[in-house]
Amino acid sequence: MRIDVISIFPEYLNALNLSLLGKAQDAGLLEVNVHDLRNHTFDRHKTVDDTPYGGGAGMVMKPEPWALALESVLETSPAAQKPVLIVPTPSGEGFNQSAAYELAEAEHLVFACGRYEGIDERMFHWAREHFWVRLMSVGDYVLNGGEVAALAMVEAIGRLVPGVVGNPESLVEESHGDEGLLEYPVYTKPSSWRGYEVPEILLSGDHGKIAEWRKEQQAERTRTRRPDLWFKHQNMA
Ligand code: 6GU
């Protein structure tokens, strides 16, 4: 999979070279390129924003540097079809595990990380001619820009690319998986630690009973911590 990220703070994305995603890049499973939007400006101050038409607080990102940056990414796209352009924004559709699975199928993802009050709306109209555009939010709160949201989405998507996670079994029993339940609690050695004990059932060797206990724990956690997910789970086929 090829991923390009465009930002005025490319250093934010350095974290993508660490850990699992760093190794996946070394192994050639993933290619991540980060681009500085300001390289696509022509004035001395490398201006990427201006005041909003109609007035109001804050600044709006100019469309032309975005079009130029995106055109330069398109030139080297390996994708047969339109690449997917993900624009992180708190006003987008919700990004979740099923969106991550869907996007992990794409050949080429491009992230456009905006700052300020957003990007001139005409950029989106232009972009739809060349990309499959997805406006996506990582939660109901506001970040200063799309970079941290892009980090989260790239990590969630990248780890689903075949081969990135060494043991694919570990993707099977996860929170937000097929079942729509949160993960059960886990324990490791020692069995007694600072007066706290590992639940006895886990030491019993009875795999049937253990599976049953874990299922109960998942249900209880989901019901108390995420009543919204519990409601959906109960209404699942
Ligand atoms: Cl995707 N971007 C920004 N700037 N803020 C957010 C967000 C995205 N998702 C939630 N808050």
Side-chain angles (χ1 to χ4, degrees):
M1 169 181 279
R2 161 88 172 268
I3 298 176
D4 289 84
V5 186
I6 305 166
S7 164
I8 59 168
F9 293 118
E11 293 87 354
Y12 254 105
L13 287 308
N14 287 350
L16 296 176
N17 297 324
L18 302 173
S19 187
L20 214 65
L21 293 194
K23 288 201 188 85
Q25 290 181 73
D26 296 340
L29 296 166
L30 216 59
E31 178 187 342
V32 182
N33 305 297
V34 181
H35 311 272
D36 189 341
L37 181 68
R38 291 193 199 277
N39 291 342
H40 301 276
T41 58
F42 296 99
D43 64 308
R44 267 191 323 125
H45 298 106
K46 300 186 181 249
T47 310
V48 294
D49 64 332
D50 207 334
T51 54
Y53 275 118
M59 299 290 272
V60 174
M61 296 193 101
K62 296 158 66 66
E64 184 62 10
W66 280 111
L68 293 171
L70 291 167
E71 279 173 338
S72 89
V73 165
L74 277 174
E75 277 171 22
T76 65
S77 179
Q81 321 93 312
K82 283 179 178 178
V84 180
L85 177 64
I86 300 173
V87 185
T89 169
S91 57
E93 61 176 305
F95 177 83
N96 57 21
Q97 191 65 19
S98 71
Y101 270 107
E102 184 190 331
L103 292 164
E105 303 280 328
E107 209 178 329
H108 189 190
L109 299 178
V110 183
F111 288 80
C113 301
R115 289 252 145 190
Y116 316 115
E117 300 307 309
I119 304 171
D120 186 309
E121 192 66 20
R122 293 168 295 179
M123 193 284 285
F124 299 98
H125 297 294
W126 171 83
R128 285 189 180 96
E129 296 175 29
H130 308 280
F131 296 88
W132 184 39
V133 179
R134 303 281 298 265
L135 279 68
M136 307 218 76
S137 166
V138 295
D140 295 339
Y141 47 83
V142 178
L143 301 168
N144 286 332
E147 286 78 7
V148 168
L151 279 173
M153 290 188 270
V154 170
E155 182 159 318
I157 296 163
R159 63 193 293 283
L160 300 177
V161 170
V164 171
V165 169
N167 178 7
E169 285 273 319
S170 55
L171 296 176
V172 176
E173 291 191 2
E174 284 187 320
S175 291
H176 308 294
D178 290 343
E179 288 254 69
L181 293 172
L182 302 182
E183 187 52 290
Y184 51 76
V186 295
Y187 302 84
T188 188
K189 290 169 275 300
S191 66
S192 177
W193 174 77
R194 297 196 180 201
Y196 295 93
E197 305 300 323
V198 169
E200 225 172 276
I201 183 90
L202 297 178
L203 310 174
S204 70
D206 184 335
H207 299 294
K209 280 264 164 50
I210 290 171
E212 195 180 313
W213 179 85
R214 284 177 167 166
K215 196 89 288 157
E216 286 163 13
Q217 293 289 312
Q218 286 190 277
E220 184 58 13
R221 278 190 161 188
T222 309
R223 190 180 63 77
T224 56
R225 295 179 186 179
R226 292 293 303 274
D228 57 322
L229 296 181
W230 182 241
F231 180 81
K232 272 192 229 163
H233 171 80
Q234 286 180 304
N235 291 289
M236 267 167 57

